[in-house]
Amino acid sequence: VTAVAGAVGRGPDAVAGKPHPTIYELALERLSLTAGEVLAIGDRLETDIEGALATGMASLFVLTGVDSLEDVLRAEPRMRPTYIRADLADLATQLTHEALDGPLTGVVRRAWGQLDDARAAGASSAQFETALTQAIEAARRVLDGDTAR
């Protein structure tokens, strides 16, 4: 996009790629659905999840792709998924908020609160990394117990 904009001397009239809401809004329009009726599923925080949240959709992040558990824990609020799962196994039978809101999602949400509090309190880099390491270990325990589904 940047190369074309430089060549023609102006930027695009509209951007439809993720994480911009336009592509999500077009999908909603085409499907005759509202954002509240859709669960966006993705493995990239900066595109899939951020775009869904910017559009007002609930989002499910799966740990089977590009971003890691540590990336999820480090995520800025604009990229924090509604739900987190290890993978998509058995997803078709568990499409309720209660089923999706499982142990892994709970552990990560609590960790976000603790990490945000540490940032707000002016924690040193070492203190923050210690808190992050503890959060990762807690989430991995959930994953190892196979209770994230």
Side-chain angles (χ1 to χ4, degrees):
V1 173
T2 304
V4 173
V8 299
R10 68 181 188 89
D13 294 331
V15 178
K18 293 184 282 185
H20 300 283
T22 306
I23 195 164
Y24 293 89
E25 292 164 351
L26 289 170
L28 291 172
E29 182 180 317
R30 176 168 260 187
L31 297 169
S32 298
L33 296 170
T34 66
E37 296 174 294
V38 174
L39 174 66
I41 301 171
D43 63 3
R44 289 181 183 252
L45 297 169
E46 291 182 8
T47 56
D48 305 326
I49 304 304
E50 185 176 353
L53 296 175
T55 311
M57 295 177 183
S59 61
L60 170 63
F61 176 80
V62 290
L63 289 166
T64 56
V66 175
D67 287 322
S68 68
L69 182 57
E70 183 174 340
D71 296 325
V72 172
L73 289 164
R74 289 183 181 274
E76 298 174 28
R78 65 184 168 77
M79 293 186 288
R80 291 181 180 171
T82 312
Y83 307 107
I84 303 120
R85 288 178 55 109
D87 54 42
L88 294 175
D90 303 324
L91 182 64
T93 62
Q94 299 183 20
L95 282 178
T96 66
H97 290 287
E98 294 78 20
L100 290 171
D101 206 8
L104 183 58
T105 298
V107 167
V108 171
R109 284 183 184 152
R110 283 189 297 281
W112 283 332
Q114 293 166 347
L115 294 169
D116 288 348
D117 289 348
R119 281 189 193 106
S124 70
S125 179
Q127 291 169 322
F128 181 83
E129 291 300 319
T130 298
L132 177 64
T133 299
Q134 291 170 346
I136 291 169
E137 289 170 0
R140 286 199 176 127
R141 282 192 297 275
V142 170
L143 288 170
D144 290 343
D146 201 30
T147 58
R149 293 187 204 179

